[in-house]
Amino acid sequence: MLAKTFIKINSDDNLSEDRWRRREETRKTNIVEDDGGRRLTTIDIPFTVFELERAMGRTKVTSSGKDDINYEMLKHLGEKMKGRLLELYNKVWEKGKLPKNWKEAVVIPIIKPGKDPSIPENYRLIALMSHMGKVTERMITDRLNYYLESRNLLMKYQNGFRTGRGTREAIVSLENDIRKAQNNKESLVIVYFDIEKAYDMVWKEGLLIKLKRLGIEGRTYDWIKDCLFNRYIQIKIGDRLSEGYRVDNGMPQGSVISPVLFSFMINDAFEDIGYDVGKALFAVDGILWKRGRNIQYLQKKIQEAIIKVENWSFEWGFKFSVDKTKGMVFTKKINVKIELKLYRDPLAQVHSFRYLGVIFDERLIWKENISNIVERCKKVINFMRCLRSNDWGASTKALKQVYIAMIRPVIDYGSVVYSSASKTLLKKIEVIHSQALRICCGAMKTTPIVSLQVEMGEMPLTLRFKLLKLNYWVCVQGSTVDKHMVKGEMKVGGQCFNGQNESMVWMSCRLAEAFKLNDMVVLKKFLYSPTPFWLFPKVIIDFHIHNVIKIRKGVGNWDNVVEERLNDAHQLFIPVYTDGSRESGNLTGFSFWIPKFSKYHKSRPSNNLSVYTVEMLAISFSLQWIEQNGVRKSIICSNSMSVLLSIKEMPADKRSDILYEIFECLFRLMKTDSEVRLMWVPAHSGVEGNEIADYYAKQATKLDTMMEVPYSVAEVKSLVTYCNPRFYESSRSP
C-alpha cells in the first residue's frame, strides 16, 4: 500500500491533458537522437585513482543499500582492490550501462511529526541506495559542478545546491530592495512561487534535452540517461521488503547527483523575465518582485512575469501550486489590494509570508519573525530547565552544548536582516539569550547579564549581530560580481541612507568601513583551475614517520629517523625542506632549503596570513624552483599535516588559489616525466633540514620587501573576530 502510494506521486497520470500535450511539443521540437558514436570531451575521460580517493574521502557513515556494502568497507580496501574497483567504474562509464542494483532503492517510511500514521501520504521517504553506485555519482557530480561553474552556465539568481551559496543571498537581496522602496517612498509587489511535487515530477526527457543544450554529451550524457530511467523502489518495514515498483518521473531519491541535476533543470525558470524585475531562486522556492510608486503598473509587470513563468512550466512539465503561491505588497499605504492570477486562478494576497525560514511582513518591522524565534527558543529553554536543578542535573559544559546546538542557530539564522528591528523587539531575543546562559551556569536571577556573558564566554547579541554581518560581507567580497546577486550592491558610498530603514547591505558596508576592511584584497572563493581537476596526477604522500610517532614513544634522534626513511623509500629523490613562520606582530614568512645544492629561498608575504597559507606557499614556490631547474626526482619534506592532507584530498574551500597552483605545477612536471613526492616530518624535533628551513622562514619575516598575497575569507573572518574591541565601540552607529 505504501509503495503504490509513493509511486502514484511520480506517475504520469498526475499530468493534465494540456500539460501532456505541451510537454510532447517540447519533445518534438528538441528531438534527442541516439547516434551511438558521440563526441567525447575532457569530461568523458576515464576516472582516475585521484578522483576515486577524493570521492571516498568525503563520504560519511550512512546506512547502506540493498547490497549491504558501505563506505567504510570501500575505504579500507587495499591498493590492488581499489584498482579493480576503478576498473569496474570505468567499464560502467565506458558502456553507459549501470548495474541493476545501483538503480534500486530500499525506502524506509518515516511518519511525519503530528500526522495520522494510518494515512499513507503522511509518511516521508528515506531512500537507501548502493554505496558502490553513489561513489561513481560523487565523481560525476564533481565533474558536472566544475563544468557548470567554470563556464558560468548557472543563472546568477540560482542559489540552491551551489558551493558557497545559500539562502542568505535571496533573503538579503529581497530585503535590500524593500528598504530601497521604503526610503524612496515606493511600494514593492512580490509573488512567492511554490512548485507542486517539483522533485518527484521532474520530466526526465526534458532534463536530457537541457543537458544537450548545455553541451553535455558523450559518456556523461549516456550515464545520466541510464541513471534516470528504469529505476525501482522497494518499501522496507522491519526485515520485510515489498515488491519492486518502477518510478516514472522525478529525480532519484537518495542520489548524490540528483541536486545538481535538479538545479539546472529549473535553472531557466525566470530566464525570459527582464532585468527590471527582481528574482531569486533557491531549489523550489522562487520569488519575483518589482518596486515603484504606481502599484497598478507594478501589478501589471508582475502579472506579465507570472504568465512567462506559466509558459515555462507547461513547456517543461512542472506545475505551480495556486494554493501555496502568494502575492504580497510591501508598502506604508493602507488597505492596498492587488489582483494576481496563476493559471487564470486568483492568487491570495497575504500580509506576511515565510520565505526560506524568515517571515517577511508588509512593513518589514520583523515582529512576526522575532515572535517565531522566541517561541522556538522557549521550548528549548524548558527542555534545559528539565536537565538541570540546583543540586543535580547536566553539567555547565553539557548545557552550553545544548545552547550552541539548539538556541544559537535559531537566533543567528536571518539575523543579518532582522537585526534592523526596533530595540523593543530585539530585547525579547536578548531575554531568551540571557535565560539560556543563566540556566547553563546555574546563576541566580539577580546575576548581572554581563557577568553571565563573561562566565560563559559569549559576546552580547548586539556585537554578535555585527560580527555576523561582517562575516557575510567578507563572504560576498570573496565572490565574483557576475556570479553573485548581492555583491554589486555592496559598495561603500554606493547607497544613500537617511539613518532610517537601513538595509543589511548598507549596515555591513558601513561596518566594513569602520573596520578598515575595504582595502584588503580578499581571495575569490571557489576558483576553478584552467586544467580540469580530474586531469591532475595522484600525489604520493609519505606519512610513515607520523605513524611511527603514534606507535613508538620516546624516539631519540628524529634526524636519523628521517634520514633512514629517505634512504630506504626515497633513495633516488632529492629532499627539499619547506617551512612557514608567523612571528609577533602577525609578520609572516616562508622558505625552502635544498641540502644537496646548498640552495635556499625565503620570501615575506602579506601580514596576518595564517600559518596554513604560508606553509602552502612554501610548497608552491619549491615546486616552481624544481620545475625551473629541471629536477627529475624530488621529495618535498613539510611539517604541516593540514597542508599535506589538503593536497591529498583537494578541498574546494581552503586556499584554492595556491592549491591549484601546486597541482598545475605537478601537472606540468608530470608531462616532462618528472616525479615529485611529499613527506611529513616532525617540527622542532632536531631534523636538520627542517630546522634550517625554519631558520630562513623566521628570517623572511624581517625582510623589507613584501609580496602581496590575497587573504582568504577565513583569514579575514579571523581578523574581524579577534580584532581590537575598540573597533566594535567605534562602529556602534551601524
Side-chain angles (χ1 to χ4, degrees), residues 549-561:
I549 291 177
K550 292 190 294 184
I551 298 173
R552 295 162 54 186
K553 303 294 183 182
V555 177
N557 192 328
W558 282 110
D559 188 46
N560 290 340
V561 174

Side-chain angles (χ1 to χ4, degrees), residues 553-599:
K553 303 294 183 182
V555 177
N557 192 328
W558 282 110
D559 188 46
N560 290 340
V561 174
V562 172
E563 192 67 29
E564 289 175 6
R565 182 61 182 172
L566 289 171
N567 291 332
D568 293 343
H570 314 287
Q571 186 176 9
L572 302 177
F573 289 77
I574 297 173
V576 179
Y577 292 90
T578 65
D579 201 10
S581 179
R582 177 168 170 163
E583 299 297 302
S584 59
N586 295 323
L587 304 177
T588 59
F590 66 87
S591 70
F592 62 84
W593 160 252
I594 309 171
K596 182 172 183 179
F597 302 116
S598 297
K599 173 71 178 178

Side-chain angles (χ1 to χ4, degrees), residues 430-632:
E430 290 180 0
V431 170
I432 287 290
H433 181 248
S434 302
Q435 285 178 349
L437 297 183
R438 186 171 283 109
I439 293 171
C440 286
C441 58
M444 296 183 293
K445 291 183 179 181
T446 55
T447 306
I449 295 175
V450 175
S451 300
L452 295 175
Q453 292 165 350
V454 172
E455 180 73 19
M456 300 305 298
E458 289 289 315
M459 65 173 64
L461 281 183
T462 52
L463 295 189
R464 182 164 183 83
F465 289 160
K466 289 181 181 180
L467 177 63
L468 293 173
K469 285 189 181 73
L470 273 174
N471 284 345
Y472 182 65
W473 183 90
V474 174
C475 289
V476 172
Q477 300 310 307
S479 62
T480 53
V481 178
D482 59 336
K483 292 184 179 181
H484 203 283
M485 61 188 298
V486 178
K487 187 172 182 179
E489 300 285 341
M490 281 197 171
K491 297 177 182 177
V492 175
Q495 305 284 355
C496 59
F497 40 82
N498 55 13
Q500 295 179 349
N501 296 327
E502 293 182 9
S503 72
M504 181 271 169
V505 171
W506 301 341
M507 293 181 186
S508 61
C509 287
R510 295 174 66 191
L511 278 170
E513 191 173 32
F515 275 71
K516 300 177 176 60
L517 297 177
N518 295 300
D519 297 331
M520 300 186 71
V521 181
V522 183
L523 169 69
K524 300 295 181 288
K525 289 187 73 176
F526 312 112
L527 297 171
Y528 292 91
S529 63
T531 305
F533 69 88
W534 55 90
L535 298 180
F536 291 147
K538 179 188 176 183
V539 186
I540 297 176
I541 305 179
D542 189 346
F543 294 110
H544 172 77
I545 297 177
H546 184 262
N547 297 330
V548 168
I549 291 177
K550 292 190 294 184
I551 298 173
R552 295 162 54 186
K553 303 294 183 182
V555 177
N557 192 328
W558 282 110
D559 188 46
N560 290 340
V561 174
V562 172
E563 192 67 29
E564 289 175 6
R565 182 61 182 172
L566 289 171
N567 291 332
D568 293 343
H570 314 287
Q571 186 176 9
L572 302 177
F573 289 77
I574 297 173
V576 179
Y577 292 90
T578 65
D579 201 10
S581 179
R582 177 168 170 163
E583 299 297 302
S584 59
N586 295 323
L587 304 177
T588 59
F590 66 87
S591 70
F592 62 84
W593 160 252
I594 309 171
K596 182 172 183 179
F597 302 116
S598 297
K599 173 71 178 178
Y600 73 88
H601 170 87
K602 58 183 180 181
S603 292
R604 179 191 168 192
S606 303
N607 297 333
N608 296 304
L609 292 173
S610 64
V611 175
Y612 174 88
T613 297
V614 292
E615 291 277 8
M616 190 168 274
L617 283 169
I619 293 178
S620 177
F621 272 70
S622 66
L623 282 170
Q624 293 175 30
W625 186 91
I626 290 168
E627 182 183 16
Q628 292 168 3
N629 290 272
V631 180
R632 290 293 181 183

